[in-house]
CSV table of all heavy atoms in Angstrom, one decimal:
chain,number,residue,atom,x,y,z
A,1215,LEU,N,0.8,-1.2,0.0
A,1215,LEU,CA,0.0,0.0,0.0
A,1215,LEU,C,0.9,1.3,0.0
A,1215,LEU,O,0.6,2.2,-0.8
A,1215,LEU,CB,-0.9,0.0,1.2
A,1215,LEU,CG,-1.9,1.2,1.3
A,1215,LEU,CD1,-2.7,1.3,0.1
A,1215,LEU,CD2,-2.7,1.0,2.6
A,1216,ALA,N,1.9,1.3,0.8
A,1216,ALA,CA,2.8,2.5,0.9
A,1216,ALA,C,3.5,2.7,-0.5
A,1216,ALA,O,3.6,3.8,-1.0
A,1216,ALA,CB,3.8,2.3,2.0
A,1217,CYS,N,3.9,1.6,-1.1
A,1217,CYS,CA,4.6,1.7,-2.4
A,1217,CYS,C,3.6,2.2,-3.5
A,1217,CYS,O,3.9,3.0,-4.3
A,1217,CYS,CB,5.3,0.4,-2.8
A,1217,CYS,SG,6.7,-0.1,-1.8
A,1218,ARG,N,2.4,1.7,-3.4
A,1218,ARG,CA,1.4,2.2,-4.4
A,1218,ARG,C,1.1,3.7,-4.2
A,1218,ARG,O,0.9,4.4,-5.2
A,1218,ARG,CB,0.1,1.4,-4.3
A,1218,ARG,CG,0.2,-0.1,-4.8
A,1218,ARG,CD,-1.0,-0.9,-4.8
A,1218,ARG,NE,-2.2,-0.2,-5.2
A,1218,ARG,CZ,-3.4,-0.3,-4.6
A,1218,ARG,NH1,-3.6,-1.0,-3.6
A,1218,ARG,NH2,-4.4,0.4,-5.1
A,1219,ALA,N,1.0,4.1,-3.0
A,1219,ALA,CA,0.7,5.5,-2.7
A,1219,ALA,C,1.9,6.4,-3.2
A,1219,ALA,O,1.7,7.4,-3.8
A,1219,ALA,CB,0.5,5.7,-1.2
A,1220,ALA,N,3.1,6.0,-2.9
A,1220,ALA,CA,4.2,6.8,-3.3
A,1220,ALA,C,4.3,6.8,-4.8
A,1220,ALA,O,4.6,7.9,-5.4
A,1220,ALA,CB,5.5,6.2,-2.7
A,1221,ALA,N,4.0,5.8,-5.5
A,1221,ALA,CA,4.1,5.7,-7.0
A,1221,ALA,C,3.0,6.6,-7.6
A,1221,ALA,O,3.2,7.1,-8.7
A,1221,ALA,CB,3.9,4.3,-7.5
A,1222,ALA,N,2.0,7.0,-6.8
A,1222,ALA,CA,0.9,7.8,-7.4
A,1222,ALA,C,1.2,9.3,-7.3
A,1222,ALA,O,0.4,10.1,-7.8
A,1222,ALA,CB,-0.4,7.5,-6.6
A,1223,VAL,N,2.4,9.6,-6.7
A,1223,VAL,CA,2.7,11.1,-6.5
A,1223,VAL,C,3.8,11.3,-7.5
A,1223,VAL,O,5.0,10.9,-7.3
A,1223,VAL,CB,3.2,11.4,-5.1
A,1223,VAL,CG1,3.6,12.8,-5.0
A,1223,VAL,CG2,2.1,11.0,-4.1
A,1224,PRO,N,3.6,12.0,-8.6
A,1224,PRO,CA,4.6,12.4,-9.6
A,1224,PRO,C,5.7,13.2,-9.0
A,1224,PRO,O,5.5,14.1,-8.2
A,1224,PRO,CB,3.8,13.2,-10.6
A,1224,PRO,CG,2.4,12.9,-10.5
A,1224,PRO,CD,2.2,12.6,-9.0
A,1225,GLY,N,7.0,12.8,-9.3
A,1225,GLY,CA,8.1,13.5,-8.8
A,1225,GLY,C,8.6,13.3,-7.4
A,1225,GLY,O,9.5,13.9,-7.0
A,1226,LEU,N,7.9,12.4,-6.7
A,1226,LEU,CA,8.3,12.1,-5.3
A,1226,LEU,C,9.6,11.4,-5.3
A,1226,LEU,O,9.8,10.4,-6.0
A,1226,LEU,CB,7.2,11.3,-4.6
A,1226,LEU,CG,7.4,11.0,-3.2
A,1226,LEU,CD1,7.3,12.3,-2.3
A,1226,LEU,CD2,6.3,10.0,-2.7
A,1227,SER,N,10.5,11.9,-4.5
A,1227,SER,CA,11.9,11.3,-4.4
A,1227,SER,C,12.5,11.6,-3.1
A,1227,SER,O,12.0,12.5,-2.4
A,1227,SER,CB,12.8,11.8,-5.6
A,1227,SER,OG,13.1,13.1,-5.5
A,1228,GLY,N,13.6,11.0,-2.7
A,1228,GLY,CA,14.2,11.3,-1.5
A,1228,GLY,C,13.6,10.6,-0.3
A,1228,GLY,O,13.0,9.5,-0.5
A,1229,PHE,N,13.7,11.2,0.8
A,1229,PHE,CA,13.1,10.5,2.0
A,1229,PHE,C,11.7,11.0,2.2
A,1229,PHE,O,11.5,12.3,2.2
A,1229,PHE,CB,14.0,10.9,3.2
A,1229,PHE,CG,15.4,10.4,3.2
A,1229,PHE,CD1,16.4,11.2,3.0
A,1229,PHE,CD2,15.6,9.0,3.2
A,1229,PHE,CE1,17.8,10.8,2.8
A,1229,PHE,CE2,17.0,8.5,3.1
A,1229,PHE,CZ,18.0,9.4,2.9
A,1230,TYR,N,10.8,10.1,2.5
A,1230,TYR,CA,9.4,10.5,2.8
A,1230,TYR,C,8.8,9.4,3.7
A,1230,TYR,O,9.3,8.3,3.7
A,1230,TYR,CB,8.6,10.7,1.5
A,1230,TYR,CG,8.7,9.6,0.6
A,1230,TYR,CD1,7.8,8.6,0.6
A,1230,TYR,CD2,9.7,9.5,-0.4
A,1230,TYR,CE1,7.8,7.5,-0.2
A,1230,TYR,CE2,9.7,8.5,-1.3
A,1230,TYR,CZ,8.8,7.5,-1.2
A,1230,TYR,OH,8.9,6.4,-2.1
A,1231,GLY,N,7.7,9.8,4.4
A,1231,GLY,CA,7.0,8.9,5.2
A,1231,GLY,C,5.6,8.7,4.7
A,1231,GLY,O,5.0,9.7,4.2
A,1232,VAL,N,5.1,7.5,4.8
A,1232,VAL,CA,3.7,7.3,4.4
A,1232,VAL,C,3.0,6.8,5.6
A,1232,VAL,O,3.4,5.7,6.2
A,1232,VAL,CB,3.6,6.2,3.2
A,1232,VAL,CG1,2.2,5.9,2.9
A,1232,VAL,CG2,4.5,6.6,2.0
A,1233,ASP,N,2.0,7.6,6.0
A,1233,ASP,CA,1.2,7.2,7.2
A,1233,ASP,C,0.0,6.3,6.8
A,1233,ASP,O,-0.7,6.7,5.9
A,1233,ASP,CB,0.7,8.4,7.9
A,1233,ASP,CG,1.9,9.2,8.6
A,1233,ASP,OD1,3.0,8.6,8.7
A,1233,ASP,OD2,1.6,10.4,9.0
A,1234,LEU,N,-0.1,5.2,7.4
A,1234,LEU,CA,-1.2,4.2,7.1
A,1234,LEU,C,-2.0,3.9,8.3
A,1234,LEU,O,-1.6,4.0,9.4
A,1234,LEU,CB,-0.6,2.9,6.6
A,1234,LEU,CG,0.5,2.9,5.5
A,1234,LEU,CD1,1.1,1.6,5.3
A,1234,LEU,CD2,-0.1,3.4,4.2
A,1235,VAL,N,-3.2,3.5,8.0
A,1235,VAL,CA,-4.1,2.9,9.0
A,1235,VAL,C,-4.5,1.6,8.4
A,1235,VAL,O,-5.0,1.4,7.3
A,1235,VAL,CB,-5.4,3.7,9.3
A,1235,VAL,CG1,-6.3,2.9,10.2
A,1235,VAL,CG2,-5.0,5.1,9.9
A,1236,LEU,N,-4.2,0.5,9.2
A,1236,LEU,CA,-4.4,-0.9,8.8
A,1236,LEU,C,-5.5,-1.5,9.8
A,1236,LEU,O,-5.3,-1.4,11.0
A,1236,LEU,CB,-3.2,-1.7,8.8
A,1236,LEU,CG,-2.0,-1.2,8.0
A,1236,LEU,CD1,-0.8,-2.1,8.3
A,1236,LEU,CD2,-2.3,-1.0,6.6
A,1237,GLY,N,-6.5,-2.0,9.2
A,1237,GLY,CA,-7.6,-2.5,10.1
A,1237,GLY,C,-8.5,-3.5,9.4
A,1237,GLY,O,-8.5,-3.6,8.2
A,1238,PRO,N,-9.4,-4.1,10.2
A,1238,PRO,CA,-10.4,-5.1,9.6
A,1238,PRO,C,-11.3,-4.4,8.7
A,1238,PRO,O,-11.9,-5.1,7.8
A,1238,PRO,CB,-11.1,-5.5,10.9
A,1238,PRO,CG,-10.9,-4.5,12.0
A,1238,PRO,CD,-9.5,-3.9,11.6
A,1239,GLU,N,-11.6,-3.1,8.8
A,1239,GLU,CA,-12.5,-2.4,7.8
A,1239,GLU,C,-11.8,-2.1,6.5
A,1239,GLU,O,-12.5,-1.6,5.6
A,1239,GLU,CB,-13.1,-1.2,8.5
A,1239,GLU,CG,-13.8,-1.4,9.8
A,1239,GLU,CD,-15.1,-2.2,9.5
A,1239,GLU,OE1,-15.8,-2.0,8.5
A,1239,GLU,OE2,-15.4,-3.0,10.4
A,1240,GLY,N,-10.5,-2.2,6.5
A,1240,GLY,CA,-9.8,-1.8,5.3
A,1240,GLY,C,-8.4,-1.1,5.7
A,1240,GLY,O,-8.2,-0.7,6.8
A,1241,ASP,N,-7.6,-0.9,4.7
A,1241,ASP,CA,-6.3,-0.3,4.9
A,1241,ASP,C,-6.4,1.1,4.1
A,1241,ASP,O,-6.8,1.1,3.0
A,1241,ASP,CB,-5.2,-1.1,4.4
A,1241,ASP,CG,-5.2,-2.5,5.1
A,1241,ASP,OD1,-5.6,-2.6,6.2
A,1241,ASP,OD2,-4.7,-3.5,4.4
A,1242,TRP,N,-5.8,2.1,4.8
A,1242,TRP,CA,-5.9,3.5,4.2
A,1242,TRP,C,-4.6,4.2,4.3
A,1242,TRP,O,-3.9,4.1,5.3
A,1242,TRP,CB,-7.0,4.3,4.9
A,1242,TRP,CG,-8.3,3.6,4.9
A,1242,TRP,CD1,-8.8,2.8,5.9
A,1242,TRP,CD2,-9.3,3.7,3.9
A,1242,TRP,NE1,-10.1,2.3,5.5
A,1242,TRP,CE2,-10.4,2.9,4.3
A,1242,TRP,CE3,-9.4,4.3,2.7
A,1242,TRP,CZ2,-11.5,2.7,3.5
A,1242,TRP,CZ3,-10.5,4.2,1.9
A,1242,TRP,CH2,-11.6,3.4,2.4
A,1243,VAL,N,-4.3,4.9,3.3
A,1243,VAL,CA,-3.2,5.9,3.4
A,1243,VAL,C,-3.8,7.3,3.9
A,1243,VAL,O,-4.8,7.7,3.4
A,1243,VAL,CB,-2.6,6.2,2.0
A,1243,VAL,CG1,-1.5,7.3,2.0
A,1243,VAL,CG2,-2.0,4.9,1.4
A,1244,ILE,N,-3.1,7.7,5.0
A,1244,ILE,CA,-3.6,9.0,5.6
A,1244,ILE,C,-2.9,10.2,4.9
A,1244,ILE,O,-3.5,11.2,4.6
A,1244,ILE,CB,-3.3,8.9,7.1
A,1244,ILE,CG1,-4.1,7.8,7.7
A,1244,ILE,CG2,-3.8,10.3,7.7
A,1244,ILE,CD1,-5.6,7.8,7.5
A,1245,GLU,N,-1.5,10.2,4.9
A,1245,GLU,CA,-0.8,11.2,4.3
A,1245,GLU,C,0.6,10.7,3.9
A,1245,GLU,O,1.1,9.7,4.3
A,1245,GLU,CB,-0.7,12.4,5.2
A,1245,GLU,CG,0.1,12.1,6.5
A,1245,GLU,CD,0.1,13.3,7.4
A,1245,GLU,OE1,-0.3,14.4,7.0
A,1245,GLU,OE2,0.6,13.1,8.6
A,1246,ILE,N,1.2,11.5,3.0
A,1246,ILE,CA,2.6,11.3,2.7
A,1246,ILE,C,3.4,12.5,3.0
A,1246,ILE,O,3.0,13.7,2.7
A,1246,ILE,CB,2.7,11.1,1.1
A,1246,ILE,CG1,2.0,9.8,0.7
A,1246,ILE,CG2,4.2,10.9,0.7
A,1246,ILE,CD1,1.9,9.5,-0.8
């Protein structure tokens, strides 16, 4: 999920963090 989210942001490079919520209702990217 984090890799898919990062790939969806054109030009993203270097160090970055992907905040996720993982749970029984589904998994979500909160922010990059």
Side-chain angles (χ1 to χ4, degrees):
L1215 181 57
C1217 289
R1218 286 181 47 218
V1223 179
L1226 185 64
S1227 65
F1229 298 111
Y1230 53 87
V1232 180
D1233 292 346
L1234 308 171
V1235 173
L1236 307 175
E1239 302 292 323
D1241 302 330
W1242 304 93
V1243 174
I1244 302 301
E1245 64 181 352
I1246 298 174

